[in-house]
């Protein structure tokens, strides 16, 4: 499971968590999210996200 | 009086978002979006990170595709400077001499980098705020270049981290005891000092720049502790100054205290009829803590621009968005929300030294701020918790 971060506002999409607020189930891979999905916080495009290394506690 | 023309001065995120919000809210009159910068609206947050490092093309910073503004019926004028406001006549004057009438005016003039008298006129000194500032600095940061960053705020700390990633030799001077002192309490700031030092940054705290001289092919800096350092490039990152001159000349109330900015009410209205201000330049009420504030973060400018646009159409509600920002330095991400400094109690969840934690800052038991490293989702929830407090529960 990977984490992708919006390079505009810092919002993070965590594949393990999904984004249930918009019906994206936990475990949904980044590549399976529609290309026209946009950042829930700032509206930036999916293309404005980058994968980040995140260590889990 | 009907509203036919709305003019917006400033093409940063507050002004640009206001223009688009007017359309979203159903306004079908003329929208003028006028800015001094030569670029169409773009995103500043990546400038000190990916754009400076060259890992994000300048093109990718565009806020919207080039054709979007015309599609939305926004008359975008870049490279155009507004030199005067005739508030009584409801007109603005451009440098080119053109006069434009307005029914509502939004001042989203942002700010400019604060400069230091000791670096005035010295070659090899940079500031970073606009897309236009990037290329020359990026070209100067080749591997092995000695970089002196003055100021360890968000911009200075991110430039230092980017320069290290570009294999520069980096020294940072910070007058406060810990880096990022405006956004991080010392207990967390000291961990950031450790992070920068572990990444090879020569971070010197509690000291400022006393003098800077050009000596042959290098710059020689003396700090206030008397220590000398040698650099090829100096980046001054000591904050911003709000651009209030246009408002002040027009007789619009500005704040003359240390916070500065154009004084607005909870809906963005200035002291002049039909003139509003939003974004970094606005001095607005703090509806959670009481008092007034100016906020210099990206998301705040975006939200404030949108809210003020609705207020200009008579659809406003009191603005009470809680500030938040994030930063990425040496691969470590921090999210900050609210006013951590206002807390009198810290509750820590996680490992501070291991840089994996969320810290809640409370005052009188109520949440006023939060800082998280590696905890984006948690901080997002805490922001909503702070925002849920209405002004009737304000604790100041």
């Amino acid at each position: 499971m990977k984490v992708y971060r919006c390079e505009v506002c810092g919002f993070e999409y965590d594949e393990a968590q999904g984004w249930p607020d918009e019906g994206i189930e936990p475990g949904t891979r980044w590549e399976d999210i529609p290309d026209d999905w946009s950042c829930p916080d700032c509206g930036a495009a999916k293309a404005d996200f980058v994968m980040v290394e995140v260590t889990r506690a | 009086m009907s509203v036919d023309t709305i003019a917006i001065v400033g093409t940063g995120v507050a002004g640009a978002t206001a223009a688009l919000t007017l359309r979203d809210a159903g306004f079908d009159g003329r929208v003028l979006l006028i800015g001094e910068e030569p670029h169409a609206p773009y995103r500043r947050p990546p400038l000190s990170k990916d754009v400076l490092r060259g890992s994000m093309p300048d093109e990718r910073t565009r806020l919207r595709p080039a054709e979007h503004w015309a599609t939305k019926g926004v008359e975008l004028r870049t490279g155009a400077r507004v030199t005067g406001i005739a508030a009584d006549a409801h007109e603005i004057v451009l440098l080119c001499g053109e006069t434009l009438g307005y029914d509502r005016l939004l001042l989203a003039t942002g700010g400019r980098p604060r400069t230091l008298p000791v670096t005035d006129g010295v070659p090899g000194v940079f500031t970073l705020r606009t897309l236009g500032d990037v290329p020359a600095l990026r070209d100067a940061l080749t591997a092995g270049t000695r970089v002196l960053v003055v100021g360890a705020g968000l911009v200075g700390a991110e430039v230092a981290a980017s320069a290290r990633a570009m294999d520069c030799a980096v020294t940072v001077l910070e007058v406060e005891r810990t880096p990022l002192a405006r956004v991080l309490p010392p207990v967390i700031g000291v961990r950031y000092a450790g992070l920068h030092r572990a990444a090879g940054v020569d971070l010197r705290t509690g000291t400022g720049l006393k003098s800077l001289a050009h000596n042959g092919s290098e710059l020689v800096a003396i700090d206030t502790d008397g220590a000398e350092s040698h650099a090829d490039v100096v980046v001054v990152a000591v904050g911003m100054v709000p651009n209030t001159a246009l408002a002040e000349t027009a007789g619009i109330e500005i704040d003359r205290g240390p916070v500065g900015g154009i004084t607005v009410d909870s809906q963005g209205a200035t002291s002049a009829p039909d003139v509003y201000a939003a974004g970094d330049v606005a001095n607005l009420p703090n509806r959670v803590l009481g008092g007034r504030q100016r906020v210099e973060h990206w998301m705040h400018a975006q939200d404030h621009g949108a809210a003020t646009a609705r207020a200009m159409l008579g659809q406003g509600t009191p603005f009470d968005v809680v500030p938040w920002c994030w930063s990425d330095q040496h691969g470590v991400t921090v999210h900050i929300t609210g006013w951590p400094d206002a807390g009198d109690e810290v509750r820590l969840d996680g490992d501070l030294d291991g840089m994996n934690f969320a810290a809640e800052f409370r005052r009188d038991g109520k949440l006023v701020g939060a800082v998280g490293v590696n905890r984006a989702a948690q901080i997002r929830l805490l922001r909503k918790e702070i925002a849920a407090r209405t002004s009737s529960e304000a604790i100041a």
Side-chain angles (χ1 to χ4, degrees):
Chain A
M1 294 282 106
K2 292 170 183 163
V3 173
Y4 291 79
R5 183 179 64 207
C6 173
E7 287 299 81
V8 179
C9 76
F11 174 85
E12 287 182 0
Y13 175 77
D14 184 336
E15 289 183 332
Q17 304 295 321
W19 190 244
D21 288 9
E22 295 178 35
I24 299 172
E25 297 295 327
T28 303
R29 293 196 179 280
W30 182 246
E31 49 268 33
D32 295 331
I33 292 176
D35 287 339
D36 62 359
W37 183 79
S38 59
C39 175
D41 278 346
C42 78
K46 185 185 171 190
D48 291 316
F49 281 65
V50 297
M51 193 181 76
V52 288
E53 299 290 332
V54 174
T55 48
R56 289 285 168 227
Chain B
M1 189 184 74
S2 72
V3 178
D4 297 320
T5 300
I6 297 181
I8 300 166
V9 184
T11 52
V13 68
T17 304
L20 297 176
T21 303
L22 291 172
R23 291 296 183 230
D24 291 345
F27 179 66
D28 58 5
R30 187 179 191 196
V31 177
L32 287 156
L33 179 58
I34 305 163
E36 219 173 336
E37 285 191 63
H39 311 281
Y42 62 91
R43 301 168 173 138
R44 295 192 209 282
L47 297 188
S48 45
K49 312 181 197 70
D50 311 69
V51 179
L52 185 59
R53 291 195 295 266
S55 54
M56 181 189 283
D58 296 0
E59 181 85 357
R60 282 273 307 280
T61 63
R62 279 200 304 217
L63 192 64
R64 292 289 187 279
E67 66 280 5
H68 189 76
W69 307 100
T71 305
K72 288 285 179 182
V74 173
E75 291 179 49
L76 175 62
R77 298 203 191 181
T78 54
R81 183 172 182 179
V82 176
T83 55
I85 304 166
D88 292 342
H90 281 56
E91 286 174 349
I92 54 174
V93 182
L94 274 59
L95 184 63
C96 63
E98 189 178 356
T99 296
L100 295 162
Y102 66 80
D103 298 303
R104 298 280 186 279
L105 174 66
L106 177 64
L107 301 175
T109 46
R112 59 191 183 281
R114 187 183 300 281
T115 54
L116 295 171
V118 293
T119 66
D120 270 354
V122 182
V125 177
F126 296 82
T127 57
L128 177 59
R129 180 167 176 88
T130 71
L131 193 54
D133 293 334
V134 174
L137 178 58
R138 188 168 50 205
D139 290 350
L141 298 182
T142 52
T145 299
R146 297 167 301 171
V147 185
L148 176 67
V149 181
V150 183
L154 284 168
V155 172
E158 289 178 0
V159 167
S162 293
R164 275 304 295 143
M166 297 161 85
D167 287 325
C168 298
V170 182
T171 301
V172 178
L173 304 183
E174 168 56 51
V175 292
E176 300 290 343
R177 306 303 305 181
T178 53
L180 301 157
R182 278 191 66 187
V183 289
L184 292 182
V187 64
I188 298 171
V190 74
R191 268 72 185 186
Y192 265 82
L195 177 71
H196 279 274
R197 286 174 182 141
V201 173
D202 179 6
L203 172 65
R204 304 177 189 177
T205 55
T207 188
L209 183 64
K210 186 179 175 191
S211 71
L212 183 71
H214 206 256
N215 182 13
S217 61
E218 65 175 13
L219 292 154
V220 180
I222 313 281
D223 67 34
T224 48
D225 283 345
E228 187 174 295
S229 48
H230 300 255
D232 305 300
V233 170
V234 171
V235 181
V236 176
V238 291
M240 58 152 268
V241 181
N243 288 327
T244 53
L246 189 62
E248 187 175 8
T249 307
I252 295 167
E253 185 183 333
I254 62 167
D255 179 83
R256 299 195 183 275
V259 176
I262 302 170
T263 304
V264 299
D265 67 14
S266 66
Q267 301 206 26
T270 72
S271 64
D274 302 322
V275 181
Y276 294 73
D280 291 5
V281 80
N283 180 303
L284 69 159
N286 181 331
R287 296 197 11 110
V288 173
L289 295 183
R292 301 184 68 84
Q293 61 177 350
R294 212 165 47 68
V295 180
E296 300 174 356
H297 301 309
W298 171 264
M299 285 306 300
H300 185 270
Q302 177 168 307
D303 292 343
H304 197 218
T308 307
R310 287 189 290 271
M312 294 168 86
L313 298 175
Q315 305 170 14
T317 51
F319 184 75
D320 55 9
V321 170
V322 173
W324 52 293
C325 67
W326 71 289
S327 181
D328 176 30
Q329 294 158 38
H330 308 294
V332 173
T333 305
V334 62
H335 290 80
I336 305 162
T337 188
W339 303 268
D341 276 352
D344 53 23
E345 176 199 353
V346 188
R347 294 183 194 173
L348 185 69
D349 167 24
D351 176 9
L352 207 52
D353 288 320
M355 292 300 256
N356 187 338
F357 64 86
E360 297 181 14
F361 296 84
R362 291 175 182 270
R363 182 151 105 190
D364 301 330
K366 291 184 175 175
L367 189 67
V368 291
V371 176
V373 171
N374 257 336
R375 300 292 182 97
Q378 199 172 343
I379 299 304
R380 193 173 186 277
L381 291 175
L382 291 171
R383 168 163 53 90
K384 290 182 182 296
E385 186 181 330
I386 300 170
R389 183 177 307 147
T390 62
S391 58
S392 62
E393 295 172 299
I395 58 175

